[in-house]
Amino acid sequence: CSAPCMTEFPLGATDTSSSVYYDYGSDTAFVGDDSGKLHQFTSVFKWTPTTPPAEVTGGGWPAAVSTSSLTSAVHASSGNTYVGDSAGFLYNVSSGGGAVASGQLDFGTGLTEGPIIDTVAGSVYAFSSADAGGTNAGVFQLSTGFIAGDTGTEVTVGAATAGTTPQYDGAFDHTYLYSATTTGNLYVCGNPGANPTLYQIPITSGAMGTPIAGPILSTAGGTPCSPLTDVYNSIETGQGLPQEWVFASVQAEGTNAGCTGVACIMSFKVTQWQPSFQYNLGQEVLDSNLNIEVCENSGQMSGTNPPAWPMGTFATTNDNGVHWRNQGPVLSSPADPVWTPGTLYSGSFEVIDGNNNIEISTPPGGTSGATPPAWATGEGSITNDNGIIWYNLGANPSAGLPAVGGTSGIIIDNTVNTPGGSQVYFSTLGGGCAPHGTGGCAIQASQTGLN
């Protein structure tokens, strides 16, 4: 459509990797270009005939930030805007267009996505595919008022890439976002130089701790992940306690059982343990070793401090009267397979039963029957399968759906208390939209499909 329905602004340069950042409070948008300039536009949606949409030209704008192409900007409530470039530098751009450059943070693909800003803690996080040593991928934490040349604090998240696999943004969990002491966790899909791996970075009083390596998400080394999305549902029915999930995708050879070795989108349960909370049979939490713990009794209160969680699958923990059993990693590697007939299962082998629960064969194991057994549904219940004794370890904590070529970032529309009521949105990066076209397509998946 023609103006004023649509307004076009020539940037004067191409824009390869900078998405538009819109600030709702000021009705202002920011976008970078490949020549290193950051642009600002006003009256984007609330325009009137007397105040039409317009680019700010003057007072330092457009801001000459870099000589390299810019990635997506993030505008903070302080009035400053933060943006990275393809050379691996992060910039703090003032309202007057002046830019302060950090030290070089990425020596691989460059900073391929906008940073994450915590204005309350005064921190900015940047995600690097290769640090100065060239061997590690890293997450950098800098002050929102960083000085020129500053590189802040780094924690490493696996092997660096040679410059082909980007390191995308992670996501804070609910504990961090609602903590009065900036304490919680940051999840990131790291290890871009090898098999993509989910990491949990603990944050205590605003300081990053040692990352914990979790499940391997793809058997294809060097395949990219998507950015991560964390979703907390405080009113989900079923388990009777708030549920939290991390969503991610990989562009090839997903390890989740729902992906059958292809590119896919996955979800992982990351519900945190709570102190002085009444837990009931079958409820699940993610422990500090990134294993799933399943409650095996009802009506008891947890302690005031987390218990010492054991590492071994099937191990038990007493938590002030709450009995926990270790289900194993949030996603086994390789992922737990579905039950198959006539198969020799060793003792302590895990499968996914027909009810999407995790079953573990108790020693000595044996050979499964010709047809699926009638799986007992309660956590801790026993199923006899041609001589194999299966022990129900609770609900499967991860899910997966094939997604051609992997996905973009992932959006959840809402959280509701009925299965399937929340929707997951993403776009695929490969073909497969026939008859509507040959490129990627927009997808809506139900909460049931990805838990």
Side-chain angles (χ1 to χ4, degrees):
C1 60
S2 59
C5 172
M6 181 191 76
T7 303
E8 181 180 358
F9 295 103
L11 297 178
T14 55
D15 173 14
T16 303
S17 54
S18 182
S19 297
V20 173
Y21 184 94
Y22 177 69
D23 179 57
Y24 288 86
S26 62
D27 191 30
T28 304
F30 300 84
V31 65
D33 67 31
D34 288 357
S35 71
K37 289 186 174 63
L38 181 65
H39 303 261
Q40 180 181 174
F41 303 91
T42 58
S43 301
V44 177
F45 290 119
K46 299 178 183 178
W47 60 271
T48 68
T50 57
T51 57
E55 179 171 5
V56 177
T57 56
W61 294 90
V65 173
S66 170
T67 56
S68 300
S69 61
L70 299 183
T71 53
S72 299
V74 178
H75 183 69
S77 58
S78 63
N80 288 11
T81 306
Y82 298 84
V83 64
D85 69 9
S86 59
F89 293 86
L90 180 68
Y91 299 87
N92 179 359
V93 185
S94 70
S95 58
V100 174
S102 72
Q104 189 172 0
L105 307 178
D106 193 302
F107 293 76
T109 62
L111 298 177
T112 54
E113 194 174 7
I116 295 178
I117 313 297
D118 183 347
T119 53
V120 175
S123 296
V124 53
Y125 293 82
F127 299 81
S128 167
S129 64
D131 62 14
T135 57
N136 296 308
V139 177
F140 288 85
Q141 180 191 48
L142 295 85
S143 166
T144 50
F146 63 82
I147 62 174
D150 190 7
T151 57
T153 302
E154 179 193 9
V155 297
T156 58
V157 286
T161 178
T164 57
T165 304
Q167 176 65 61
Y168 289 114
D169 284 2
F172 291 116
D173 69 359
H174 177 268
T175 302
Y176 180 87
L177 293 176
Y178 287 86
S179 168
T181 59
T182 58
T183 296
N185 299 291
L186 173 64
Y187 291 96
V188 61
C189 181
N191 210 33
N195 298 94
T197 301
L198 182 67
Y199 287 83
Q200 181 194 72
I201 303 173
I203 300 176
T204 305
S205 299
M208 294 189 296
T210 303
I212 303 169
I216 293 173
L217 306 189
S218 172
T219 57
T223 190
C225 278
S226 68
L228 298 192
T229 298
D230 181 275
V231 178
Y232 178 82
N233 191 345
S234 62
I235 54 176
E236 183 179 0
T237 58
Q239 280 216 348
L241 81 161
Q243 297 290 291
E244 188 165 7
W245 305 88
V246 164
F247 288 78
S249 84
V250 291
Q251 295 184 17
E253 301 297 325
T255 54
N256 191 283
C259 301
T260 61
V262 298
C264 67
I265 177 174
M266 298 172 262
S267 66
F268 306 94
K269 184 176 292 185
V270 294
T271 307
Q272 295 294 295
W273 175 92
Q274 299 180 43
S276 303
F277 186 87
Q278 180 178 309
Y279 285 98
N280 294 312
L281 179 69
Q283 293 176 342
E284 297 178 349
V285 298
L286 184 71
D287 70 19
S288 56
N289 303 310
L290 299 193
N291 292 326
I292 294 293
E293 301 284 345
V294 188
C295 181
E296 293 202 305
N297 60 344
S298 294
Q300 298 295 313
M301 301 288 288
S302 60
T304 56
N305 294 301
W309 300 110
M311 288 292 294
T313 300
F314 209 62
T316 58
T317 301
N318 186 43
D319 171 23
N320 195 43
V322 179
H323 297 164
W324 298 103
R325 189 174 293 274
N326 189 326
Q327 188 191 83
V330 65
L331 174 68
S332 299
S333 183
D336 293 327
V338 296
W339 177 95
T340 55
T343 301
L344 178 63
Y345 290 108
S346 61
S348 301
F349 192 97
E350 290 188 358
V351 300
I352 300 172
D353 70 17
N355 302 311
N356 201 32
N357 292 325
I358 302 295
E359 303 277 351
I360 186 169
S361 58
T362 58
T367 301
S368 58
T371 58
W375 296 106
T377 56
E379 196 284 329
S381 57
I382 298 298
T383 298
N384 193 304
D385 171 26
N386 196 41
I388 302 177
I389 304 298
W390 295 102
Y391 186 100
N392 188 320
L393 277 176
N396 185 359
S398 65
L401 289 175
V404 179
T407 80
S408 64
I410 300 154
I411 295 175
I412 313 296
D413 58 2
N414 60 11
T415 53
V416 296
N417 63 354
T418 55
S422 297
Q423 303 297 325
V424 181
Y425 297 86
F426 55 89
S427 59
T428 57
L429 303 182
C433 282
H436 305 294
T438 58
C441 42
I443 301 291
Q444 180 193 63
S446 71
Q447 184 186 32
T448 300
L450 284 171
N451 286 349

